[in-house]
Structures are given as structure tokens and as C-alpha cells.
């Protein structure tokens, strides 16, 4: 069953084709990686999926419903959660308060506190919960943001550069987390760390100049000469 699909999805900025005519299908339960060179259109594409960027043309469907005109907050209510390339935590709130804000989309009362603790433990963030989010390192702010996504129990979790700023040991823990989460959520992973991509993704979509260059299993993508020339640097 396809959970998320686009047809002819395009975005122009002042005549520049940032994303052009992208057809994309993400089956339920899959871990899909989206990769490509800087400027390939990945962030713009994800922005259109999330409802933060309005397409110039094309459609976005979620669970077989056309959501192309829905604002971002209504897409979240349908079961989409996402983290961004630039962290969007509330710096003046504590760690626990940040996650609690996200949890209250679906929970009330005492349920919130236990859900917050569970989400923080899940991502391996062991900082004191009453510490201000703005005092965290960049990498730990990324983990906090992932916890804010997880606590919503999303059907689709979109992660944009989640391992940026993480130590090697934290990246290993993140790969284990993705494997665990894939049992209950569909995951779209935008990531430059190719070890993470190759070890966690079921399939990979490669964007280049705003268009789909290739799609396949990690082994197929690694062997694709066009992808090697455009991105992997081995061609």
C-alpha cells in the first residue's frame, strides 16, 4: 500500500526549476532515503510534502487523499511528522517542555509526562529534562527534535539531515533507532552520511537538478554509473 505519493510535483523560484515533474511513491512501512548533491532540490521537495512550500504544479497524496492544498499543521494531524535541516526547537523552553508541546497534539494529563520520558529515552538523549533546549549542542538539539517527532506517534516520519552534528557513537545508536522505528512507522530520510543511508534504507531515491536521477535498492544505487558521476564521486 502506498502511503505517500506525488505526481508531476514541481516548484519554480523566479524561473528556476528547483523541483521538476517528480513522481514519487513511498509504500507503507518502508525506509526510503532521499539523496543528491547540494542544490538538487531535496529540501524544496520535502517542504512541498510537509505543506511548508506551495507547489507550482503537481499533487501530493497521503493515504490516498489529495493533500496538495492542506496547510502544514493539518498534515501533521493526519500523521506526518518531520524534522528540519536547521533545528526548530524552542530554545528558551526545557527539553521536557519541548517534547511535551509535541505530545499534547494527541495526549492529555499524566499521559504526556510518561510519553515525554519514553521519547527521550528512545533517542538516547540523557541530558537533564529540565535543561534549556538552547543550551544543548547542535547534535543533541537534533536528537531532541527527533524525540518531538516520535512522541506524536506518526505514520510518516520525515527526517532531514538527522545525523548532522552527532558523534560517531550517537550515529550508531541512530541507525539502530531507525531500524526499530521502521516496525511502526514509514520513514523518509534525507541524509548525506552514505553509511547511514546504505545501512538503514530499503530503497533510495536520487535527486539531481530537481529531477529523479535514479531509484533502487542500496546495492543498485551504489552500482549506478549516473549516480556515481553525479553524487557518489566514484565515476
Amino acid at each position: 500500500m502506498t502511503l505517500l505519493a506525488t505526481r508531476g510535483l514541481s516548484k519554480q523560484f523566479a524561473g528556476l526549476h528547483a523541483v521538476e515533474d517528480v513522481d514519487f511513491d513511498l509504500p507503507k512501512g518502508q525506509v526510503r532515503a532521499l539523496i543528491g548533491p547540494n542544490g538538487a532540490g531535496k529540501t524544496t521537495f520535502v517542504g512541498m510534502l510537509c505543506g511548508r512550500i506551495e507547489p507550482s504544479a503537481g499533487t501530493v497524496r497521503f493515504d490516498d487523499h489529495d493533500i496538495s492544498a492542506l496547510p502544514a499543521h493539518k498534515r501533521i494531524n493526519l500523521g506526518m511528522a518531520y524534522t528540519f535541516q536547521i533545528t526548530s526547537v524552542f530554545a528558551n523552553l526545557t527539553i521536557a517542555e519541548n517534547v511535551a508541546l509535541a505530545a499534547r497534539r494527541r495526549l492529555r494529563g499524566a499521559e504526556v509526562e510518561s510519553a515525554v520520558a519514553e521519547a527521550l529515552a528512545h533517542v538516547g538523549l540523557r541530558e537533564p529534562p529540565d535543561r534549556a533546549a538552547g543550551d544543548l549542542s547542535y547534535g543533541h538539539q537534533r536528537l531532541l527534535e527527533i524525540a518531538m517527532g516520535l512522541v506524536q506517534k506518526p505514520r510518516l516520519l520525515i527526517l532531514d539531515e538527522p545525523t548532522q552534528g552527532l558523534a560517531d557513537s550517537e550515529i550508531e545508536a541512530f541507525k539502530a533507532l531507525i531500524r526499530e522505528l521502521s516496525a511502526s512507522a514509514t520513514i523518509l530520510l534525507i541524509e548525506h552520511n552514505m553509511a547511514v543511508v546504505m545501512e538503514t534504507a530499503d530503497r533510495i531515491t536520487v535527486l539531481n537538478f530537481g529531477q529523479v536521477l535514479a531509484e533502487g535498492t542500496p546495492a543498485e544505487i551504489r552500482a549506478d554509473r549516473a549516480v556515481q558521476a553525479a553524487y557518489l564521486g566514484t565515476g
Side-chain angles (χ1 to χ4, degrees):
M1 171 188 168
T2 299
L3 181 64
L4 178 74
T6 72
R7 290 294 178 270
L9 198 63
S10 303
K11 182 63 181 179
Q12 297 181 32
F13 294 104
L16 172 68
H17 290 271
V19 174
E20 187 173 5
D21 199 27
V22 171
D23 293 345
F24 178 83
D25 291 281
L26 180 58
K28 183 178 180 181
Q30 187 176 96
V31 178
R32 176 73 63 87
L34 182 67
I35 68 171
N38 290 331
K42 302 185 299 294
T43 297
T44 300
F45 179 68
V46 171
M48 290 190 285
L49 298 182
C50 297
R52 287 182 166 250
I53 297 175
E54 184 178 356
S56 301
T59 59
V60 180
R61 298 185 70 84
F62 185 73
D63 200 18
D64 208 26
H65 296 284
D66 190 335
I67 62 169
S68 307
L70 284 186
H73 70 276
K74 290 191 175 180
R75 299 188 196 199
I76 293 172
N77 292 340
L78 290 177
M80 297 175 68
Y82 45 87
T83 69
F84 293 101
Q85 192 170 1
I86 301 172
T87 58
S88 58
V89 301
F90 297 97
N92 294 327
L93 297 182
T94 68
I95 292 171
E97 287 168 342
N98 268 274
V99 184
L101 275 177
R104 290 191 184 103
R105 289 187 178 276
R106 66 180 187 90
L107 300 173
R108 295 291 178 270
E111 292 178 317
V112 172
E113 187 174 344
S114 61
V116 167
E118 180 184 351
L120 290 172
H122 222 142
V123 301
L125 188 57
R126 296 179 179 84
E127 301 278 356
D130 59 354
R131 185 177 182 184
D135 291 340
L136 296 176
S137 68
Y138 181 80
H140 284 185
Q141 287 187 28
R142 303 314 307 264
L143 291 178
L144 173 57
E145 210 177 20
I146 294 170
M148 293 166 68
L150 292 185
V151 80
Q152 298 172 54
K153 297 294 185 186
R155 300 167 65 197
L156 172 63
L157 180 60
I158 302 175
L159 302 172
D160 195 350
E161 299 292 348
T163 66
Q164 190 173 327
L166 296 185
D168 289 345
S169 61
E170 292 168 332
I171 290 174
E172 287 302 313
F174 174 79
K175 289 188 285 191
L177 174 63
I178 291 296
R179 287 189 284 268
E180 182 181 342
L181 293 177
S182 65
S184 59
T186 304
I187 298 171
L188 178 59
L189 178 68
I190 300 89
E191 180 58 66
H192 276 107
N193 186 318
M194 293 310 297
V196 172
V197 169
M198 294 297 175
E199 291 179 37
T200 61
D202 298 313
R203 289 183 69 81
I204 300 169
T205 299
V206 186
L207 284 186
N208 194 34
F209 296 114
Q211 298 179 310
V212 175
L213 175 66
E215 190 172 285
T217 65
E220 289 168 343
I221 294 301
R222 196 192 303 271
D224 190 297
R225 290 186 177 274
V227 176
Q228 291 171 3
Y231 184 57
L232 297 182
T234 57

